[in-house]
Structures are given as C-alpha cells and as structure tokens.
C-alpha cells in the first residue's frame, strides 16, 4: 500500500513537470524552478548494461591512459531531485591521441571513434570519428562537445544515467556532463 502511494505521488510530480514545460497557445511556459547539475568524471565506472559485449571484452583504459588499443567506457550516474525533468544536457570530453596518424582509415588513432549510448546502442548524431582533420600528432588534444538529443534526454530521464565510449588509441583526459532540469517543487 505504501509503495502504491509513493508511486502515485511520483507520477503526479512527473505529470506536473510535463505540464509545467508544455506549450500554451504556442508560447513556452516558464519553468517554476530550474535546477542545474554538473558531474565531473573522476574514475571510469561503466554500467555494463549500457555497452555492447564486444566493447566490454576489450582491455579498458583509465583516465589519461596513454597505452594504445584500449577502450574507454564510462557511465555518468546521478540521483535526480523529486518532481524534476531533464530539459537539456551537454557532455564535454577532452581527448589526446596516443598514436600519430595520417588517415581516417589507418589502424592507429586515425580510425578511432566515440559515442554517447544507453542500453548498448549509440544515439544517432552523438557518435562518430574522434579525428576529422589529418595528420594527427602524438598527444594532439581535441575537445568534443555533445548537446544531447531528445532521444538521449528521454533515456536520461528514464534511467538516471548516460554512458560514452572512446575507441581505442585515444585517451580521455576529462569528461563532464552538465544537466538542466525543470522542477515543479
């Protein structure tokens, strides 16, 4: 019985958030209580259900790990405030090449990819090559900024987590997730 009351209260909050952010006659309604959270990655902590089996089987890299042929996997996790809905989020990842490269088809850092994912699937528009201009020098730094798509935000609201990967001759120097929420309380 207690569980049913808690679920009913939670559903009421979620419905309130949805209506607080709805549009009224073409005009956006203001959020009654916007909140913001910034999560900085310190240690890679992947939630295995967010990654494919082949990714999990490869040797993994730590933060700023300069060894080649390692996958970097990480999952941001958070405890959301009550009666809140994520409205937007941005992930910023700072990277460095572990090997030099001259082409996107080479087996060194040139062919490395990265992406934002959940439940083993990368989100369209939030994945692709790490490097797009060549040559790439050893220790060359690059920063990728991903503005989360509606599909990624829906997954974030449902699971309170978001994962990313970097493959496999590029190291992750830092990663940060900024979340903007609308709360009704």
């Amino acid at each position: 019985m207690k569980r049913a009351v808690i679920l009913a209260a939670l559903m009421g909050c979620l419905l309130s958030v949805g209506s607080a952010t709805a549009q009224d006659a073409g005009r956006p309604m203001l959020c009654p209580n916007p909140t913001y959270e910034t999560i900085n990655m310190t240690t890679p902590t992947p939630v295995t259900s967010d990654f494919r089996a082949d990714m999990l089987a490869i040797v993994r890299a730590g933060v700023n790990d300069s060894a080649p042929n390692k996958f970097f996997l990480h999952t941001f996790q958070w405890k959301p405030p009550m009666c809140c809905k994520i409205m937007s989020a941005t992930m910023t990842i700072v990277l460095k090449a572990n090997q030099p490269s001259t082409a996107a088809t080479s087996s060194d850092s040139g062919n490395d990819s990265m992406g934002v994912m959940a439940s083993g699937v990368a989100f369209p528009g939030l994945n692709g090559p790490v490097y797009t201009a060549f040559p790439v020098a050893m220790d060359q730094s690059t920063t990728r900024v991903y503005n989360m798509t509606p599909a990624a935000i829906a997954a974030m609201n449902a699971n309170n987590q978001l994962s990313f990967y970097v493959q496999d001759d590029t190291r992750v120097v830092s990663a940060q997730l900024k979340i903007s929420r609308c709360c009704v309380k």
Side-chain angles (χ1 to χ4, degrees), residues 81-154:
M82 289 287 291
C83 300
C84 294
K85 180 179 178 182
I86 296 172
M87 304 307 292
S88 65
T90 303
M91 185 184 299
T92 303
I93 307 167
V94 178
L95 309 136
K96 280 191 177 180
N98 288 341
Q99 296 178 337
S101 181
T102 58
T105 56
S106 62
S107 63
D108 47 34
S109 62
N111 72 347
D112 284 1
S113 63
M114 60 186 301
V116 179
M117 60 192 313
S119 303
V121 178
F123 293 105
L126 299 177
N127 60 72
V130 173
Y131 306 101
T132 56
F134 294 90
V136 174
M138 175 88 160
D139 292 325
Q140 180 175 320
S141 183
T142 188
T143 300
R144 291 286 181 256
V145 179
Y146 292 108
N147 294 313
M148 295 303 112
T149 61
I153 290 171

Side-chain angles (χ1 to χ4, degrees), residues 2-170:
K2 187 175 181 181
R3 180 179 248 180
V5 170
I6 291 171
L7 278 171
L10 181 59
M11 290 303 295
C13 285
L14 292 174
L15 290 172
S16 297
V17 169
S19 64
T21 59
Q23 301 234 348
D24 177 27
R27 296 178 310 214
M29 295 180 70
L30 295 177
C31 176
N33 184 23
T35 63
Y36 308 93
E37 181 177 6
T38 298
I39 306 169
N40 291 302
M41 178 203 63
T42 54
T43 303
T45 50
V47 171
T48 57
S49 62
D50 268 2
F51 298 98
R52 298 185 322 255
D54 62 314
M55 295 173 153
L56 296 168
I58 296 173
V59 177
R60 291 200 209 134
V63 175
N64 213 17
D65 188 340
S66 62
N69 301 318
K70 289 184 175 183
F71 254 70
F72 187 92
L73 308 175
H74 179 68
T75 303
F76 287 102
Q77 294 181 293
W78 57 87
K79 183 176 169 133
M82 289 287 291
C83 300
C84 294
K85 180 179 178 182
I86 296 172
M87 304 307 292
S88 65
T90 303
M91 185 184 299
T92 303
I93 307 167
V94 178
L95 309 136
K96 280 191 177 180
N98 288 341
Q99 296 178 337
S101 181
T102 58
T105 56
S106 62
S107 63
D108 47 34
S109 62
N111 72 347
D112 284 1
S113 63
M114 60 186 301
V116 179
M117 60 192 313
S119 303
V121 178
F123 293 105
L126 299 177
N127 60 72
V130 173
Y131 306 101
T132 56
F134 294 90
V136 174
M138 175 88 160
D139 292 325
Q140 180 175 320
S141 183
T142 188
T143 300
R144 291 286 181 256
V145 179
Y146 292 108
N147 294 313
M148 295 303 112
T149 61
I153 290 171
M156 293 171 72
N157 279 314
N159 302 322
N160 303 319
Q161 66 188 43
L162 187 68
S163 295
F164 75 95
Y165 72 91
V166 177
Q167 173 269 334
D168 73 330
D169 298 310
T170 298

